[in-house]
Amino acid sequence: MEKPTKKGVAPPMAWRTRLSILAAGCLTDATCRADGTINRRLLNFLDPHVPPSAAPRNGVASRDVVVDPAIPLRARLFYPCPSGGGGGTGDATKPLPVVVFFHGGGFAYLSAASRAYDAACRRIARYAGAAVLSVDYRRSPEHRYPTPYDDGLAALRFLDDPNNHPLAADDGDVPPLDVTRCFVAGDSAGANIAHHVARRYALASTTFANLRLAGLIAIQPFFGGEERTPAELRLVGAPIVSVPRTDWLWRAFLPPGADRTHEAAHAASPAGAAGIDSPAFPPATVVIGGYDPLQDWQRRYYETLRGKGKAVRVLDYPDAIHAFYIFPEFAEARDLMLRIKDIVAGAGGEH
């Protein structure tokens, strides 16, 4: 019997997963206001923060650090522990590569301390054997473009100064950090931030004394434009992402009066190309899901990088929804963690 063609707007999922996805959509819709603001008090109630854990959980410990007290800008540092039980395999004397991570949430939602991202960064640290610095960047609409990009570059400059690195002698099992093997990574809006931070780094790479970007991992990056793509039209009703939600998020993030041809949204725009041509722009991996309404923009992003001669590859997951990797029950989420492990182990690798 011939296999039926793909139907619907989502793959088969366990009911618990469906409830979690439904809750995520309700969180967004319940807290965004028609006037372009967000009910932060309600959001903080619905998205309670998880504290850092000096005691290893699943072999990974975490601590919060202050990146820039003047802002204030904070981040959460995750690191595998050699003596923490629960699968810890690290070596407190061996320098670890660093993944600078930016969480998703449309520039407006969630944080480095959100339960889903605390768990996701812990998995990345465990699988990749790397330190993960999850940046708690300022969010829109209170802080519009280019604030998250400024915060991302500030995190790189923080790491560039060895005096800012926690030491095992002072902080127990915290290993030394090897910032010559540094990656920027993120999902959705966080992947957009990772891209623009990589561009800014490439334009200013000679001003960094120690840090070198070895790779960019863009997991289902949030890009857009004024037209509606075939995937956006075909996948109406898909989990997590909808055109009305993304339109609202772009209005909340872009400068007043800007449309979605702005460089922040449109990776192929001439203004958005600055830095990509630099040899310091790192090798990139673009992750795309077959049930993600944003996939056509993500493929255009890949083609933009490839058209400029950059080292870039696609990881395609035909049955993946947007934000699939924060749900560890998906086989694709487990596979992506193994791919990230390979990327980090290869310090960028050959693409």
Side-chain angles (χ1 to χ4, degrees):
M1 181 176 179
E2 184 178 348
K3 185 177 180 180
T5 57
K6 183 189 295 184
K7 296 181 180 180
V9 295
M13 288 182 279
W15 67 269
R16 289 181 184 273
T17 305
R18 288 188 178 277
L19 284 178
S20 296
I21 290 169
L22 179 63
C26 290
L27 180 148
T28 301
D29 295 340
T31 55
C32 68
R33 299 183 176 121
D35 65 357
T37 62
I38 287 177
N39 186 336
R40 290 286 176 202
R41 180 176 296 182
L42 177 58
L43 181 61
N44 290 338
F45 173 76
L46 296 174
D47 179 35
H49 288 181
V50 175
S53 174
R57 295 206 300 264
N58 295 324
V60 176
S62 61
R63 65 193 300 268
D64 288 344
V65 298
V66 177
V67 173
D68 187 340
I71 292 176
L73 176 63
R74 297 179 176 86
R76 180 161 293 182
L77 180 67
F78 300 83
Y79 48 94
C81 294
S83 58
T89 58
D91 179 348
T93 65
K94 182 180 179 181
L96 293 179
V98 183
V99 177
V100 180
F101 183 85
F102 303 96
H103 65 82
F107 305 105
Y109 290 91
L110 306 174
S111 74
S114 293
R115 185 175 301 278
Y117 283 106
D118 182 89
C121 289
R122 199 174 297 277
R123 289 195 296 273
I124 293 172
R126 185 171 72 251
Y127 273 84
V132 177
L133 187 74
S134 181
V135 182
D136 205 17
Y137 58 86
R138 291 170 286 176
R139 294 165 295 175
S140 62
E142 298 88 347
H143 303 281
R144 292 173 176 262
Y145 165 90
T147 302
Y149 307 158
D150 295 339
D151 291 350
L153 193 65
L156 296 190
R157 294 205 179 279
F158 172 83
L159 287 172
D160 191 48
D161 184 353
N163 293 322
N164 293 326
H165 298 183
L167 300 175
D170 300 326
D171 296 284
D173 287 332
V174 181
L177 306 180
D178 181 2
V179 297
T180 67
R181 294 185 293 154
C182 185
F183 298 79
V184 286
D187 75 299
S188 195
N192 175 299
I193 296 169
H195 163 73
H196 286 288
V197 169
R199 285 203 307 120
R200 289 182 169 212
Y201 165 83
L203 289 169
S205 61
T206 58
T207 67
F208 285 82
N210 301 293
L211 185 141
R212 298 291 181 268
L213 279 190
L216 161 63
I217 304 170
I219 304 170
Q220 299 177 291
F222 183 25
F223 292 115
E226 285 299 293
E227 73 272 27
R228 302 306 185 196
T229 67
E232 287 174 320
L233 297 174
R234 184 176 71 252
L235 293 171
V236 172
I240 306 291
V241 168
S242 70
V243 167
R245 284 176 186 161
T246 57
D247 284 356
W248 190 97
L249 291 165
W250 284 124
R251 287 194 300 271
F253 176 65
L254 295 174
D259 63 21
R260 294 185 299 274
T261 62
H262 187 275
E263 64 181 273
H266 205 58
S269 69
I276 295 176
D277 291 327
S278 168
F281 189 89
T285 299
V286 182
V287 179
I288 299 175
Y291 284 99
D292 186 352
L294 300 177
Q295 63 185 275
D296 292 337
W297 296 114
Q298 294 155 6
R299 295 189 193 282
R300 291 187 196 184
Y301 171 57
Y302 163 75
E303 292 296 342
T304 296
L305 296 182
R306 196 165 75 101
K308 291 185 174 294
K310 308 312 294 185
V312 58
R313 67 175 171 184
V314 165
L315 295 181
D316 232 325
Y317 293 99
D319 292 326
I321 63 170
H322 191 78
F324 73 93
Y325 90 106
I326 66 172
F327 299 97
E329 58 268 33
F330 285 131
E332 293 88 348
R334 295 190 292 273
D335 182 80
L336 179 57
M337 288 296 161
L338 294 173
R339 300 296 190 99
I340 292 174
K341 174 183 177 181
D342 291 341
I343 293 167
V344 173
E350 293 296 327
H351 291 238

